[in-house]
Every structure is written in structure tokens, then in C-alpha cells.
Amino acid sequence: MICFLRKIVLAAALSTTPLAALNAMEGWSDIEAAARGETVSFNAWGGSPAVNDYIDWVAAELDNRFGIELVHVKLTDTADAVSRVIAEKSAGRTEGGSVDLVWINGENFSRMKEEGLLFGPFLDRLPNAALIDVEDNQSAVVDFALPTEGYEAPWGLSQFVMAFDGDEVETPPRTMRALLSWAEAHPSRLTYPAPPNYIGTTFLKQILYEVVEDDAALLEPVDAEAFEAVTQPLWSWLDALHAQLWRSGRAFPQTDVAQHQLLNDGEVAITFGFNPGNIANMIENGTLPENVEIATFEAGTIGNTHFTAIPFNATAPEAAMVTANFLLSPEAQARKEDPAYWGDQTVLEIDGLEPEAQALFEAIPQHPLVPPPGSIRPVLPEPHPSWHELLERTWLERYRR
Amino acid sequence: MLAGPLVAGLLGTLLPALGYLPAIGAREIGSTVFREMLAEPGLARAAWLSATTGLIGAGLALAVAMAIMAVFAGSRWWRAIRTATPAFLAVPHAALAIGLVFLIAPSGLLVRFAIALSGIDRTVPPDWLIVNDSNGIALIAGLALREAPFLLFTLIAATHPFETERQFKIARSLGYNAAEVWLSVLLPQLYRRIRLPVLIVIAYGVTNAEIALVLGPTSPPTLTLLILEWFRDPDVARRLIGAAAAAMEIGLVVLCIFLWLVIERILTSWRQKLVNAGRVRPLAVIATWSGRSAAGLVYALGLLAMSVLMLWSVTGRWRFPDPWPDSLSLAAWVRSGDEVSTALGTTLGIGLIASVLALVLAVLAFENRNARRGVPRNLGRKTQNLGIAALYIPLLIPQISFIFGLQIAMIRSGLDGRWAGVILSHLVFVIPYTALILIDPYRKLDPRFARTARSLGHGPWSVFLHVNLPLLARPLAFAWAIGFSVSCAQYLTTLFVGQGRVMTLSLEALALMGGGDRRQTAVMALLLALLPVASFGLAAAIPRLAWPRLYRRQSVRTRPT
């Protein structure tokens, strides 16, 4: 029954009918046949050796099982892949494009979708799409308030967390009020990545959720006229905080990883990240010190899903779909959730899986620092993208001059 | 052949700046985009920072290079300095900057040593705004540190041994000390020869992303970093603003160069006054002292920064305030070895082809120019000069804005994703640097050698092979090495034109450096430096191996160029 319900929900979310899904399933063996011998150019951020190793493993499996060659194009920024697709469109290359699959979410996705740069909808054609947990995780089908409509396949789940030096921070400040008083008591020991870095902007949204009166409004397109009044508590809070920040708020780390390095150098006591398992992975490999602990905010933490998508002019869309489907398989998802490899939460609904698939997830050794998957609640949805833009803009106007 | 990519690159900047980028539905040409850009927060401050840090950094680098030359040329330290200088050029900009941060930051090695030695009990680094300071002082220091060796290198290459020695002897016999001779006689002559490299350094200082990203101010950052931010904004319409700012940056560079020429004039006349009044000695004393300390500082900081990187590359854990890693590990090297092994061959292949092609093209152009020397100035010559000036445009604007247009042209011609396309786009950046090194050696090449050979019945090819090639072997070899290093360092060009299908070392390295793991960064920086260092070593060895009788001795005074 649950399984049936899920299919209905999924089918509704994908704006398709169960019958169409069935037909699509029948076509899957044709897709696999067409994919054999193809090369998939997977454009994905290449900054983490752990993630790169994971993608290497995926490449080996794809080669063995499906005869697909996966090439990881290591990006420093997803925007570079978007740029490439735009350039190809500008030059009139509507097929044979250089990007087959891209690791994407949020604004980059919404822009590519709006500009008609994506192939699809394709999610309903992937057999493993039926395993996705859409009931507990809205963000699997609504990416930053934008319905994905099957134009991208969920890959992993992230939640905003704070990591801190356990010797210096005895009780982690789990509300914004507590964070401010902690900063006042420990001047220059806190900072956050400067927006428009996405962790920095997420920090602003996290504050906003706590200080705004009506948080339902955050899911609607922003009312530009009311914006100033609605966000006033956020800016007053930040004004008070900035004087207490590292370097008195006159310099900010430009990325989250730069702030992790500051924590390792002892320059600050707290850093922010989007993935508890990833923080654990960094403690294991020595990028972060061993006394680091993880905490989340009481009022809930912003969570979002990251996806894979196929550009409109991909050279091998079938092979890209087979890849996206494999990335959603219980085997690939379980390995990804294991902090020994990556530590990224799965997007599958474990209870709905076959027993042997469930066993894969149960076998993952629980890291003492990482809250069990699904235990960080509530998950706050990403505000509507229009908030994102205005928040960034206002932050820059106030603090960059 | 180069005009195509060049024009395409420029159009790719200028058309979006005027509001034309059909791929994202922007078709209205006008000044709207410029107006929007001017309303961006922090724009004026960012432009001011770019200009001041670029100009002061370049000026400081020049002063340091000249002071080092004046104090050390011909001394017993000279050989060591000459050998060490090219090695500095091979170090990637970002790597040097990162090494420097770990040295001078409040949590850096110097503070750690101070704490360890003084016995102060301190577990938290001082909250000093040393790096990323809002006036860009750390950025200026980083620029000077990186560019002083480059200018010193061009100064050495521009030194004319016979002439220099003669003038030196005469002046010494009149009772002047070494620094005085350099200041009053030799440096003014040399400056004229390295003027173009100085202008390139200014342009680099104003537009660079690598050093500014690591050491520069953050709120706002320099103009180039703002442009990068706009070009990478998920809101594709922001690219138009980025393009407008890139167009403005070309103007900013031109303005800075103009300002420099004015400053240059003022300094020249001031120096002339001192010389005429016979008051060079105080200046010479200052130059001697500052030359010594500058040389010490530049080389010590550079070496320390690199040593610290090496140490980090084998670090397991290393926490503040420990002056030494808590544990050592080769893990980062082992991991990287797997990642980069295939990229190494590609980098080598592309680098070799691009640098040799650039060298051949540059030599052909200069031989042709020299052959026409003495022909009255005419339109052909003028256009040729303009063409050569246009070659330097790619060095004057941030790559990311230029590369978008370049990429579209490559896709249109079907060269993207292939070695040929990547090599062609590398040439856009490799040729100007190669030519830069060769301009002066060719200018000061005595035409009488070639003329004599020709009168003895040698054809142009034979003259080149038997006269010019041996005479110019050293600058030619270094021009090749510089070109090779530039090709190795290309990141955005390779990514955009190679479409991710041509994987080079810098692609692998920069992706991993973005991960923020300092150990990984250190390994990658060292790996990136590997091929360029090897090429400079080779460049130093080739002339001596090929023409042992000409290049037996190493002294600056007797070296033929």
C-alpha cells in the first residue's frame, strides 16, 4: 500500500500517469542498449578527493555493467559547465554537445531550465526513480521552490549544519540569539562565508527563518516592497553580529572550505557546512581537527537536494540516463552515504526497498559525530529563489561598500 | 591565424557588454548594461583597488628588481641569483600566494615560531588583519614578490654584456661605486629595454585573479574578482554586467599604463636632476641598502613560502600553534599520483607543440622585421606594429570574459574538444609572452653579423642557422620555456575550449585546489610547478650543450646574447 501510494505521489510529482511510467519502463532496455559503448562526460565539482574517488568507482561500475565510459570533467564551479552549454547554444550546436550529465541544483538548475538548456523530462524514464523518497523530502521534486518536473534526477540530500571546536565551544549555540551572545562573549572567533557564496547565503536564510514573523512567506515569491520591513530583524541581527566577527567583519572567507581551513588553523571556532557526513569525512582525513563536533539549529535546518541533469544538446543522452539511474541505485546510494567514502545522505526511501537493498544501508557504520540519516528535523525548505537574489543583493549593498 | 581567435574573444566581451547575447535572449544593444553595472555595490572601490594595487605592486617589483641588479650584478652572489630567478618564474602564482599566506597570516608559520620561541601560552592566533586587508597591502606585497623575479629576469636578458662592461669600467675608473654607476648610467638605458615587460606587469597586476583571490581584499574584492563572480552567477543575465565590467577594465588598464608613463617621466627628470647636480651618492646608498634587504626579503620569503608548501604536502595533521606538523603523511601525494598521471602526458604534448609553434612564429616575425630594418617607415610597417600591439590584448583583460567569445568561435569552427583547438587558443596567450622575451634581443642584435654572412653568400636560412640562432640561443631558449610554462598554466582556456575532453594538469590541479584541503593544494601546486621548472632547467642547459664554445662561461659581463 505504501509502495502504491508512493508511486501515485511520484507520478503526480512528475506530472505523468502511471501508464506512461509503465511504457517508459518498457523502453528502458532499449535505452540501455543505445547507451552501450557511449561515453558520458560528467561535469561535476572536482574539489573533493573523496567525491572524485566515488565518481571513479561509479565509472568502473558503469564500464563493467553497461559498457559506458564515464569521464569526470572536474569543475571548480558548476557555472563553468552552464557557460559551456550557453556558448554551444550561441554557436548553434544543438546536438553533439560537450556536457552529457551535470551535477546541479538551485539557481543553476532554474536558469538552465528557464533558458531551455535542459533535456527531458527524463526522470520518469529511470526505473530507480520509483525508489525516491518524496514524502519526507519535498526538496527531491521541488528544487529551491521550483518544481523539477522531471528535468533533473535527485542524487543526494544536504542539510545545513555547524561544526565547532569541541574544546572551545562547550554548549553549541543552537539558536540565533544564542549564536549572537556566544559571539559577544568570544569576539573574533566567528565568521561566515561572504555571500554570494551559497553557504553564506544559506546562513542568511537560516537566520531569516528564525527572525521573520511569518516564515510561510519565504516560500512565495518575494514582495519587493515588503522586503525591507520583513527582513529588518535580519539586518539588525547582522549589524550587531558583525562587530564581534573575526577581523571585526572587515574580511570574510570567500568559500565554506576556506572557513574550514580557518577552523583548522585555529582562527575561528565555528564553521558551517552543508553535509554532516562530509564534515565527518574531513575530520577522518585530517582536513579538520579531531576535536570538531557537529550541531544543528533548534528551529530546524535548511535542507536541499542536489541532482544530476542532462543538457539539451548532450551527445549521449541515453548513456547519461543510465548513469543517472545507476547513481540512484541502492548500491550506489549506500556507498555514497558511508562517511568512509563520501558521507552524503541518500534520497531513497529505505523502508520501501527490497530487504537486501535495506541491508546495504544498515551495514553502513554509524559515525559517532554524524546524526543518523533522517534524524535532523525539521528540514526547512529552501526559500523561493527570488528571496535568494534580494538577500544577496542587499547584503552586498550593506557590507561590501 | 591569430586574428580570428583574438577578434572572436574581444567580440565575446564587447557585444554582451552592449547587451547582445542571443543565447540568453538578450538582443537589445544599448548602454543599459553599463548603467546597471555602475549601480553595482562596491564597483568604484573595486576599480580603485585594482588600479592602486596593480600600479604600486608593479612599481615596487621594478624597484626591487633594479635595486637587486644594481647591488649584485657582477658580485659573487650574482651567479646564485641568476640561477634562482627563473625557478621563481616557474612557480604558479596561486601557489606562491598560498604559501605566503601560510607564512605571514596570524595563524601562519612566523607567528607559530614566535609563540614557540617566546614561550607565550597562546592557543588562539591574534586577530590581525594582515592578509586580505581592505587596502590591499598584502596583495601589493604578493604582486611585488611574484613580479620582481620576472622583471629581474627580463633585465638580465636585456643586459648587453660588452657595452655594459665598457661603461662600467670607465665609470669605475672615474671613482664611482657600483650602485652609482648603475643608477646614473646603466639602469636608465636598461629601463628603456624592459619598458614593455613593465607595462605587462602593470596590466597583470591590475587584472590578475590568482593572487588577488588569495591575498586581496574581500569586501569588495578587486575588479577582476567581481567580474569572475558575475560571470559565474547562476543568473545568466549577470554575465552581461560582467562583460561590461570587463570592457571597463580594459579602459582601466589603459588608464593605469598612461599614469605609469606620467610617473615615469617625473622620476626620469628627478633622477636627471640628481645626476646633473652630482647628488647620486645618497640615492646610491639607499639603493645599496634597499637592494640588499629587498633581495634578502624576496628570496627568503619566496623560498620559505615554497618550503612551507612542501611541508604541507606531506602533512597529516597540523594545528595552531604547533610550529611543526603533528603527523606526517604521504597520503596527499599518493592520491594525487593517481589523479594526474594521464594528464601529465597531455600537458606535456600540448605545451611542447604550442611553445615550439609560438617560438617559430615569433622568430619568423622578428627575422622578417629585422630584414626590413632600414626600409623607410611606411604603412605596412605601421600596420605590422599595430598587429604586434594587438597581440598583447589577451594579457590586458580578465581571461574569463575573453574566453567566452573564443569558445564560441572554436565551437563554430569545430575545433573545440580537440588538441588543435586547445593549442590554437593557448597560442593566443603563449605568443605574446614568447614575443615579449624576444623583442629586445632581436632589437639589439647587431645587424652587421648577418650582413657580413649574407655578403659571403649565405641565404637567409643559413644566416639564421649559423649566425642568429647561436647568438640568440639563450633568449630563444628562455622564450620557449616561458611559452611552455604559460601553456601549462592555462586553466580556463583548456576547460572551455577543450570542453573537458582534453584534460591537462592545471585542470586537475585547480579543481582540487578549490577543495580547500591545504595538503592537497600544496601537492598540486608543486606538481604544477614541476614541468615549468624542468623547462627552465632545459632552457638554461641547451645553449651550453649546443654551442659549448660560445656559452662556456656564465658571467653576465662576458655572456654573448
Side-chain angles (χ1 to χ4, degrees), chain A residues 47 74 76 79-80 83-84 90 93 111 188 247 254 261 263 265-267 283 285 287-288 393 400, chain B residues 23 40 107 125 127-128 220 226 229 232 234 239 317 319-320 339 407 412 416 499 508 515 518-519:
Chain A
K74 292 169 189 149
T76 53
D80 290 339
S83 272
R84 220 149 2 105
S90 297
R93 180 173 290 173
R111 294 300 164 180
S188 83
R247 309 285 184 256
Q254 297 304 294
Q261 187 65 60
L263 178 60
D265 286 343
E267 296 255 4
I283 298 168
N285 75 25
T287 314
L288 285 176
R393 172 106 198 160
R400 191 180 252 181
Chain B
E40 283 293 331
S107 56
D127 187 26
W128 296 331
L226 277 188
E229 191 182 297
R232 285 184 161 165
R239 269 152 228 261
R317 286 178 191 278
R319 290 228 64 197
F320 190 85
E339 303 233 11
Q407 184 186 13
R412 286 237 165 92
D416 63 309
Q499 307 283 35
E508 300 274 0
R518 199 181 268 142
R519 298 159 305 174

Side-chain angles (χ1 to χ4, degrees), chain A residues 41 43 45-50 52-53 56 71-77 79-80 82-93 96-99 107-108 111 115 117 165 168 187-189 194-196 245-255 257-258 261 263-268 282-291 315 389 392-393 395-397 399-401, chain B residues 21-25 36 39-43 45 102 105-108 112 123-134 213 217-221 226 229-236 238-239 312 316-320 335 339 400 404 407-412 414-416 491-492 495-501 503 507-508 510-520:
Chain A
S41 166
N43 284 240
W45 185 69
S48 157
N52 295 351
D53 287 348
D56 282 349
V71 179
H72 179 192
V73 177
K74 292 169 189 149
L75 301 177
T76 53
D77 199 313
D80 290 339
V82 181
S83 272
R84 220 149 2 105
V85 178
I86 293 176
E88 286 174 355
K89 193 182 175 197
S90 297
R93 180 173 290 173
S98 67
V99 184
E107 279 191 293
N108 279 313
R111 294 300 164 180
E115 306 291 341
L117 297 173
D165 180 327
E168 186 174 346
S188 83
R189 301 295 295 155
L245 287 184
W246 179 75
R247 309 285 184 256
S248 312
R250 284 186 295 153
F252 289 88
Q254 297 304 294
T255 61
V257 286
Q261 187 65 60
L263 178 60
N264 192 48
D265 286 343
E267 296 255 4
V268 296
M282 290 201 296
I283 298 168
E284 293 299 310
N285 75 25
T287 314
L288 285 176
E290 279 158 324
N291 61 350
T315 305
E389 277 166 38
E392 267 177 21
R393 172 106 198 160
W395 190 91
L396 291 175
E397 274 167 5
Y399 303 116
R400 191 180 252 181
R401 282 195 193 275
Chain B
L21 187 58
I24 63 163
E36 279 172 25
E40 283 293 331
L43 182 87
R45 173 87 188 147
F102 189 66
S107 56
R112 292 181 195 217
T123 52
V124 167
D127 187 26
W128 296 331
L129 191 56
I130 297 180
V131 292
N132 310 121
D133 60 294
S134 22
L213 190 64
T218 58
S219 44
L226 277 188
E229 191 182 297
W230 290 327
F231 262 90
R232 285 184 161 165
D233 197 299
D235 180 355
V236 287
R238 309 277 286 172
R239 269 152 228 261
W312 263 106
R317 286 178 191 278
W318 194 358
R319 290 228 64 197
F320 190 85
R335 226 173 17 220
E339 303 233 11
I400 194 163
F404 189 75
Q407 184 186 13
I408 292 177
M410 288 293 166
I411 296 171
R412 286 237 165 92
L415 283 171
D416 63 309
Y491 171 73
L492 282 176
L495 176 71
F496 276 40
V497 177
Q499 307 283 35
R501 288 174 194 165
M503 288 301 280
L507 246 60
E508 300 274 0
L510 270 102
L512 275 172
M513 283 162 108
D517 179 342
R518 199 181 268 142
R519 298 159 305 174
Q520 195 74 44

Side-chain angles (χ1 to χ4, degrees), chain A residues 11-45:
Chain A
L14 303 177
S15 40
T16 180
T17 65
L19 191 66
L22 200 65
N23 283 341
M25 300 279 267
E26 273 179 347
W28 186 249
S29 55
D30 299 334
I31 291 175
E32 278 189 349
R36 195 160 282 277
E38 294 287 328
T39 299
V40 172
S41 166
F42 184 24
N43 284 240
W45 185 69

